[in-house]
Amino acid sequence: MQSKTFERNSTADSESRREPRDGGREVIVLRVAEIFLKGRNRGSFWKALIHNARRLLGDLDGVSVESHYLRAQVSHPPELRQACIDRLDRLFGLASMAPAIAVDADLDAVSRAAVDIARRMPGASFKIESKRRDKSFALASPEISRTVGSAVAAATGRPVDVHQPDQIIHVEIGPQSYVFGEILPGPGGLPVGTSGRVALLLSGGIDSPVAGWSAMRRGCQASAIYFHSFPYTGDKTKEKVLDLARHLARWQGPMNVHVVHFTDVQKQLREHGRAEFAVLLYRRMMMRTASRLADAEASKALVTGENLGQVASQTVENLAVIEDAATLPILRPLITHDKLEIVKQAQRIGTYETSILPYDDCCSLFVPKHPATKARIRDLQRAEEGLDVDALADQLCRDTEHITVSG
Ligand code: ATP
Ligand code: MG
């Protein structure tokens, strides 16, 4: 090892833009967690993760995603590091990511990369933590750490502290060796697509976008269904829902949005049943129609932003009445969440600002002062007597506009 080489580079050049020297490549090492628990499905999970990473990063010049032996890395020009990190923050299935320098399994090259990494990080004392993935490599981990540690200390003048270091520099020796400092959290969850397709009932409110995001995070590929009651809910509301869908598409790629023109049927429902059941009649009709639309695109479940007790009508009894009209399972990711948690999550994922724009909720149309809070399924079945609910649902499916949006 030649510490001279290290010193030559010690001028305070722009840290994040500097090219690693001597063949080292700027990469981001992708790390997964739960995917590996999935045993038999491991291969398809991995494939989906890589596919999704390529979709997220595809348009960045000089960026590529490489995968071998269930390891993945993103190679990128130094100036695109932050752009890549920002996008990988939307790669579900990613447990964490480490901006790294990739080098051959050569101790000199590893030491030089470690010096580069040390110079990018604040703090004084450091410690090297080594892992040997290639057991045929001549040195054992403690010796690797000692050798690389001395090189970094010599080149930077920083002290080694194995007990309470300011920074830890990680060295992984393998077919491709990596040196990295910071490990950034990924969004977690499972790769979009690995849990199949679902249809999200997307309104313009705060909850349903968060519910959709949560389902995507668990590996679902979502389409959206929106019930539009023009002119009572105006075109602005529809645009708002489409904006929310576009935002959600940033995590999964293009999203199909089905806009169901609901007004006529909604009026018939309102005029038919007892006023106190109006909202439940609407909701049951939504479930019937959404089940059909979902079926037609091979979605296996519906997703809603329903929550227990958030409003007086969100009771277990009413949820049962609504669910009774669906022919697909209903996933309710937010069922037990506090409103405040949902709001915070909406702010974190960036849907909140759009959700709070003033809008009209189609279910608040033609609604009585005192909606039923503990309805029974047979009351609703009776309320629907004389209506051909299946024909109405079929009609709504025909009156549906299909739009595809991208993030
Ligand atoms: P959100 O904030 O998502 O509107 P909410 O707290 O207002 O939810 P409700 O209005 O009771 O709750 O709606 C419960 C769920 O029913 C929504 O989260 C959504 O999934 C679905 N939903 C309600 N209205 C519509 C609509 N017009 N189009 C599609 N789905 C809807
Ligand atoms: Mg709502």
Side-chain angles (χ1 to χ4, degrees):
M1 240 164 329
Q2 297 164 352
S3 50
K4 246 181 17 211
T5 328
F6 304 139
E7 279 150 19
R8 222 179 38 216
N9 211 39
S10 65
T11 48
D13 41 356
S14 162
E15 295 296 319
S16 64
R17 298 180 72 86
R18 194 172 54 208
E19 285 275 8
R21 291 156 299 134
D22 298 348
R25 281 194 299 148
E26 286 269 353
V27 300
I28 298 168
V29 181
L30 306 185
R31 312 166 121 222
V32 293
E34 257 180 284
I35 291 178
F36 288 104
L37 301 176
K38 290 281 175 176
R40 227 156 38 89
N41 292 332
R42 184 195 261 207
S44 54
F45 279 65
W46 188 253
K47 250 168 84 180
L49 185 87
I50 300 299
H51 173 86
N52 294 345
R54 290 192 172 131
R55 177 180 47 71
L56 277 169
L57 300 167
D59 64 319
L60 294 176
D61 253 1
V63 173
S64 60
V65 182
E66 293 126 37
S67 144
H68 31 168
Y69 304 111
L70 294 184
R71 298 287 288 182
Q73 65 177 41
V74 174
S75 298
H76 60 83
E79 65 276 14
L80 289 183
R81 185 193 306 146
Q82 193 54 47
C84 290
I85 290 171
D86 291 346
R87 293 193 187 192
L88 289 168
D89 210 28
R90 301 198 300 270
L91 180 64
F92 288 136
L94 187 66
S96 65
M97 51 186 146
I101 298 175
V103 289
D104 292 338
D106 166 86
L107 215 49
D108 279 354
V110 167
S111 299
R112 283 191 294 271
V115 172
D116 271 353
I117 293 289
R119 288 192 171 127
R120 283 180 198 174
M121 301 175 78
S125 63
F126 75 94
K127 167 188 180 181
I128 306 285
E129 271 186 10
S130 305
K131 225 194 249 165
R132 212 170 38 139
R133 296 180 64 226
D134 178 358
K135 298 292 178 205
S136 68
F137 190 72
L139 299 181
S141 299
E143 290 174 87
I144 298 170
S145 296
R146 257 197 309 278
T147 311
V148 177
S150 322
V152 172
T156 62
R158 291 185 180 178
V160 173
D161 180 347
V162 292
H163 301 295
Q164 282 197 312
D166 295 334
Q167 350 170 311
I168 296 177
I169 298 173
H170 302 266
V171 170
E172 268 188 37
I173 306 280
Q176 169 85 281
S177 300
Y178 297 110
V179 181
F180 51 91
E182 49 177 357
I183 300 173
L184 307 167
L190 303 171
V192 165
T194 55
S195 297
R197 302 176 64 89
V198 297
L200 164 69
L201 278 90
L202 183 62
S203 71
I206 294 170
D207 300 339
S208 45
V210 177
W213 183 90
S214 308
M216 284 177 190
R217 188 168 180 272
R218 292 310 297 171
C220 296
Q221 169 91 36
S223 61
I225 302 176
Y226 164 58
F227 290 83
H228 187 45
S229 301
F230 189 81
Y232 305 98
T233 54
D235 281 335
K236 282 228 170 75
T237 306
K238 178 173 151 191
E239 229 0 90
K240 175 182 173 179
V241 171
L242 290 174
D243 273 347
L244 289 168
R246 281 185 200 104
H247 194 77
L248 292 176
R250 288 158 57 82
W251 279 268
Q252 72 157 27
M255 182 187 254
N256 294 330
V257 183
H258 311 290
V259 179
V260 184
H261 293 275
F262 198 35
T263 320
D264 286 348
V265 170
Q266 208 179 355
K267 278 186 180 156
Q268 289 183 51
L269 294 172
R270 172 63 192 91
E271 282 154 18
H272 186 81
R274 291 205 336 240
E276 61 171 323
F277 292 141
V279 174
L280 290 171
L281 287 171
Y282 303 160
R283 285 291 155 84
R284 282 168 62 86
M285 189 54 74
M286 284 186 185
M287 291 301 152
R288 259 180 221 111
T289 311
S291 298
R292 284 164 163 77
L293 291 169
D295 239 359
E297 59 174 23
S299 285
K300 295 184 291 194
L302 305 178
V303 177
T304 73
E306 285 166 317
N307 178 276
L308 199 54
Q310 194 185 88
V311 292
S313 59
Q314 282 180 337
T315 59
V316 174
E317 288 83 351
N318 282 6
L319 291 176
V321 163
I322 293 167
E323 185 172 275
D324 172 66
T327 54
L328 290 177
I330 301 177
L331 310 182
R332 303 180 179 94
L334 308 182
I335 193 71
T336 60
H337 291 210
D338 288 349
K339 187 72 185 184
L340 208 60
E341 290 171 36
I342 301 171
V343 164
K344 277 193 191 141
Q345 189 60 5
Q347 287 166 334
R348 269 196 293 270
I349 67 178
T351 51
Y352 184 74
E353 291 303 318
T354 308
S355 286
I356 58 169
L357 294 172
Y359 92 111
D360 311 298
D361 182 342
C362 81
C363 285
S364 58
L365 290 178
F366 331 118
V367 164
K369 277 213 182 68
H370 301 291
T373 54
K374 289 196 174 177
R376 291 172 306 180
I377 293 173
R378 66 170 176 277
D379 294 335
L380 267 292
Q381 285 167 341
R382 205 165 297 143
E384 286 166 354
E385 273 169 16
L387 277 175
D388 190 344
V389 288
D390 287 321
L392 290 174
D394 288 337
Q395 178 194 326
L396 287 170
C397 289
R398 283 194 300 275
D399 289 345
T400 295
E401 200 184 332
H402 306 278
I403 303 169
T404 302
V405 300
S406 316

